[in-house]
Amino acid sequence: MLHPADQLAFDKAMVTQPVWNRFNTASEALRLDENVLLHAGPAFASPDQITAPVLNSACVAAVWQGLAQNFDQAEAMINAGEVILKPAQEHDVVTPLAAVVSADMPLHTVYDAWRGQQRVYAPINAGNRPAMRLGLRSEAVLNHIRWLNTRFLDVLEKGIAEGIALVPLAVIGLMGGDDCHGRTPVAAQALIAELKDRSTSGITDDDVLAFMDSSPSLFLNLWMAATKCMMKLAEGIDGSSFVTAAGGNGREVGIQISGLPGRWFTIPASPPKGAFDVDLPQDRALGAIGDSAVVEAFGLGAMAIDLSPEQKKGLGAYLPDDAQARMSGLSVGAHPYFRALNVQLGSTARGAVKQGSGPVIGLGILDRLGEAGRLGGGIYDMPVAPFADALKALET
């Protein structure tokens, strides 16, 4: 039987309508200091612990922000503590893989339209062009960020209109074979159709249209923010072990729970298991990274892989033997919009301890040296340890 505090947290999370209605910068919305950059997962213990891909992206973000004139100067400022890295989720921001957010970067604003009490932010997805999330330090990544945050931003702003509800798009995606994490092309096309329909003169920029057509992950960052928005509304329930944060920074992976808001429970990050798309040894794989783990903690992504035959075809061989048991044993209940799909959502530390394992998480595998970018895709088998630690702290 579900613990009453976990049921209450779940109910609060589910009674939510996440809507993307505008862009804000972290400076505007969160009063983020100009010299602070936000990264995925828990905090790094010190600058020398920052993983190479995150450091690369931080250098790109610092130059984009105008904090440094070049990447080498940016790295020196980070190492000296003049530019500070902090966890994005502690500032109501989610960011994928090694992507880093700076104070003036335009962010999708996703809010709870039913109560208006919560907002969560995410950067624009960089698609299949040189992307900051891959952890590469290059002029190509910097130039693409500049394009995203100007020319592409202009098109997106004209298409938002009164706001776009994100759960209905996720349902369309799941019904069409998405898993809402590793695979999102159906939801992305539904999003693009909304943007085109809401733009008064349509979308006429050929470069933007080409980018949209070649970027099946455009929906992901928005869905990460929507998921986090629902999780945030479950925070602060006394005695609740409902999972409200999950992510990795490449060195550590961690979670937070409702009854202990703001407190990370972490373990060393091992790499996801999966095939490489490049000819490099397996020891080049970085540990699990990215705030997109919130999607699996919410019950989708690899935790709903049966809805996505293509995703299961690619990653099914790397799922643990008890994956099916986890998909049912870790989940909490149904969301009204997802009932037709028979999808159970949410997760709790109590459920993980009882199951003896955490969720399975589909993740991109990055090069730990920060040289080759994405090596492939895989499954991160999250151990039960951080859930057990969280439950012990909750019950102490």
Side-chain angles (χ1 to χ4, degrees):
M1 182 177 178
L2 192 64
H3 190 283
D6 291 340
Q7 183 67 62
L8 177 58
F10 173 78
D11 291 345
K12 283 181 172 290
M14 294 304 106
V15 184
T16 309
Q17 181 65 278
V19 171
W20 168 40
N21 73 325
R22 64 174 184 258
F23 283 94
N24 286 105
T25 67
S27 175
E28 294 168 342
L30 307 170
R31 297 183 180 177
L32 190 73
D33 291 338
E34 187 181 53
N35 70 326
V36 173
L37 304 175
L38 303 179
H39 64 84
F44 292 105
S46 61
D48 66 323
Q49 295 295 299
I50 299 170
T51 50
V54 174
L55 179 60
N56 285 346
S57 293
C59 290
V60 172
V63 173
W64 183 89
Q65 181 68 25
L67 300 174
Q69 294 183 353
N70 55 59
F71 301 143
D72 290 342
Q73 183 187 13
E75 181 174 355
M77 294 175 71
I78 292 166
N79 289 333
E82 298 170 19
V83 173
I84 303 167
L85 271 68
K86 293 184 178 182
Q89 288 189 61
E90 293 182 7
H91 293 78
D92 295 344
V93 177
V94 282
T95 190
L97 292 176
V100 170
V101 170
S102 70
D104 292 333
M105 198 171 287
L107 304 175
H108 296 287
T109 298
V110 174
Y111 81 111
D112 171 23
W114 284 347
R115 285 166 289 185
Q117 297 174 339
Q118 184 61 57
R119 284 174 172 77
V120 173
Y121 309 88
I124 301 170
N125 190 280
N128 287 345
R129 294 183 182 178
M132 189 188 286
R133 69 178 184 273
L134 304 182
L136 296 173
R137 188 185 310 194
S138 75
E139 291 294 330
V141 174
L142 179 59
N143 289 335
H144 185 45
I145 292 296
R146 288 170 173 155
W147 182 86
L148 282 174
N149 293 336
T150 53
R151 187 166 167 180
F152 189 51
L153 172 68
D154 290 343
V155 172
L156 294 178
E157 287 186 316
K158 292 173 183 175
I160 300 173
E162 73 279 6
I164 298 177
L166 299 172
V167 170
L169 297 182
V171 172
I172 291 171
L174 293 169
M175 292 180 68
D178 288 352
D179 69 353
C180 279
H181 182 185
R183 184 173 174 80
T184 61
V186 177
Q189 285 302 312
L191 172 66
I192 292 166
E194 286 279 353
L195 290 167
K196 289 178 177 178
D197 185 59
R198 290 160 181 257
S199 299
T200 53
S201 301
I203 298 175
T204 58
D205 188 318
D206 290 338
D207 193 24
V208 166
L209 290 169
F211 173 70
M212 286 178 161
D213 287 343
S214 64
S215 301
S217 61
L218 284 179
F219 179 69
L220 176 57
N221 292 20
L222 280 163
W223 183 244
M224 287 167 55
T227 300
K228 182 65 180 181
C229 185
M230 290 185 264
M231 288 176 157
K232 286 286 295 182
L233 286 161
E235 281 187 345
I237 307 299
D238 287 343
S240 175
S241 73
F242 187 81
V243 177
T244 55
N249 61 26
R251 191 171 297 279
E252 288 187 309
V253 170
I255 64 160
Q256 295 184 21
I257 59 173
S258 170
L260 299 169
R263 182 173 173 182
W264 285 97
F265 297 88
T266 66
I267 54 171
S270 58
K273 294 181 179 178
F276 286 6
D277 300 326
V278 295
D279 185 18
L280 286 173
Q282 290 290 314
D283 67 2
R284 287 287 291 270
L286 179 71
I289 187 170
D291 285 333
S292 57
V294 296
V295 177
E296 272 81 359
F298 189 70
L300 297 177
M303 291 293 285
I305 202 167
D306 286 342
L307 295 176
S308 182
E310 284 299 313
Q311 193 72 350
K312 192 169 185 178
K313 180 180 177 182
L315 296 179
Y318 304 102
L319 291 169
D321 293 339
D322 66 342
Q324 287 294 330
R326 297 191 208 188
M327 292 172 193
S328 57
L330 292 180
S331 59
V332 178
H335 185 290
Y337 278 95
F338 292 94
R339 281 179 182 155
L341 294 158
N342 193 31
V343 172
Q344 298 289 106
L345 300 175
S347 61
T348 65
R350 288 187 176 92
V353 170
K354 183 178 179 180
Q355 188 70 29
S357 56
V360 289
I361 301 172
L363 287 174
I365 305 172
L366 298 187
D367 177 17
R368 64 179 177 82
L369 299 183
E371 297 172 356
R374 188 180 189 275
L375 305 181
I379 294 290
Y380 175 66
D381 184 354
M382 193 162 190
V384 72
F387 300 91
D389 291 344
L391 187 59
K392 182 179 179 180
L394 186 69
E395 296 177 343
T396 299

